[in-house]
Amino acid sequence: MPIITLTTDFGAKDYFTGATKGAIYSELPDVTIVDISHQVSPFNIPEAAYIIQNAYSSFPKGTIHIIGIDSELNEENKHIAIKLDDHYFICANNGIMSMICAEIAPEKIVEINIHDKLTSSFPVLDVFVKVACHIARGGTLEVIGKSINEIKPIKNIVPYVNEDKTQIIGSVIYIDNYGNVVTNIKRSFFETIQKGRAFEISARHYKFKKIYKKYSDIVNFDIAENKRNDEGKRLVVFNSGDFLEIAVYKSNPATVGSASTLLGLEPLNTISVHFIPNKVVNTPDNMPQALSNTNKY
């Protein structure tokens, strides 16, 4: 049997997640259900899009992904099922899939039309589960929906670039469990605009002039461990999803603080990158190796 994943903003307190799993098992007792996350901020579509984009490709081809964010059916929020990259996604047409679809073209999109056969006040349970189980049994998308060609986009998903390509203006789309701040600027996009030039990243009044390859690159291992005092230092990396991330080394929001708390950054805040004309980054692979900012962290 295939795998069905769940990504929702249900949290851990309520019965919603348990009821959804129970409904799936009632139809497919031998299916494997995997929780990607139930801690998405309520109705936070960019956050959910970031999570599912970076998680889905780790699963086998044929996996079915239920995304239960802002899923109440209405005239402006239809339900869709998408086949993309040999995976299936079931969600509301509210922009959640636009981040993935911007990089990989869907093989098929249908607008789900089985609602007249169901009495639904809980669409993830009543509609999405039915569709997922239909697909898991080998059913086609055409049976549960009508083909459409486009999906609703997320606003501000693509960073802005000025006309002379000296500046990228991005935004915060996600804050992880460590308080690290993830932007909508991907490495490939950054490098295409950068063209080897030096740069300065601005986040509020903090300035970063270089990017680390990994978090621990901020540590000078030539200094004795008891003299380093590296925890809490600010840095910039391209994270495992290749998104530009502002981080704090070994951050803990409850102790040393985090990039979000120390820099005062929240979702939708602006991050800018200014490229310096006629100044090239001087590294072997033309990518930055270290970091500095106005506070010399």
Side-chain angles (χ1 to χ4, degrees), residues 217-256:
D217 281 349
I218 199 169
V219 179
N220 184 347
F221 290 99
D222 293 330
I223 299 174
E225 186 175 358
N226 62 347
K227 296 180 180 180
R228 289 177 193 160
N229 194 30
D230 294 312
E231 292 186 10
K233 288 186 176 180
R234 302 163 181 83
L235 67 149
V236 176
V237 297
F238 284 110
N239 66 16
S240 59
D242 266 348
F243 287 82
L244 187 74
E245 175 182 297
I246 300 171
V248 164
Y249 183 63
K250 290 193 174 180
S251 62
N252 184 332
T255 56
V256 298

Side-chain angles (χ1 to χ4, degrees), residues 78-83 89 91 93 108-113 131 135 140-149 151:
K78 303 291 189 178
H79 295 157
I80 56 174
I82 297 178
K83 184 179 182 184
F89 301 85
C91 57
N93 190 9
K108 182 172 285 294
I109 311 169
V110 301
E111 186 177 289
I112 298 168
N113 60 9
V131 172
I135 296 169
T140 63
L141 296 187
E142 290 84 355
V143 172
I144 50 86
K146 62 177 182 179
S147 292
I148 59 175
N149 297 320
I151 60 171

Side-chain angles (χ1 to χ4, degrees), residues 153-278:
I154 299 178
K155 294 180 180 179
N156 302 322
I157 187 174
V158 179
Y160 168 81
V161 181
N162 66 352
E163 189 172 341
D164 60 2
K165 296 187 176 182
T166 58
Q167 187 178 44
I168 297 173
I169 299 177
S171 59
V172 177
I173 58 172
Y174 186 73
I175 296 174
D176 70 15
N177 191 52
Y178 301 95
N180 297 325
V181 176
V182 180
T183 76
N184 62 343
I185 302 171
K186 293 209 73 172
R187 182 198 296 266
S188 57
F189 185 88
F190 182 96
E191 292 177 350
T192 298
I193 306 302
Q194 180 196 15
K195 298 187 183 301
R197 292 176 292 179
F199 57 85
E200 183 175 82
I201 299 168
S202 298
R204 291 197 180 275
H205 60 280
Y206 293 91
K207 309 290 185 183
F208 302 90
K209 295 182 178 179
K210 296 180 181 178
I211 301 173
Y212 283 100
K213 285 188 172 181
K214 59 183 186 293
Y215 302 100
S216 62
D217 281 349
I218 199 169
V219 179
N220 184 347
F221 290 99
D222 293 330
I223 299 174
E225 186 175 358
N226 62 347
K227 296 180 180 180
R228 289 177 193 160
N229 194 30
D230 294 312
E231 292 186 10
K233 288 186 176 180
R234 302 163 181 83
L235 67 149
V236 176
V237 297
F238 284 110
N239 66 16
S240 59
D242 266 348
F243 287 82
L244 187 74
E245 175 182 297
I246 300 171
V248 164
Y249 183 63
K250 290 193 174 180
S251 62
N252 184 332
T255 56
V256 298
S258 68
S260 176
T261 57
L262 294 174
L263 278 67
L265 292 170
E266 299 177 352
L268 303 182
N269 283 173
T270 297
I271 305 294
S272 64
V273 183
H274 176 70
F275 295 105
I276 303 170
N278 303 319

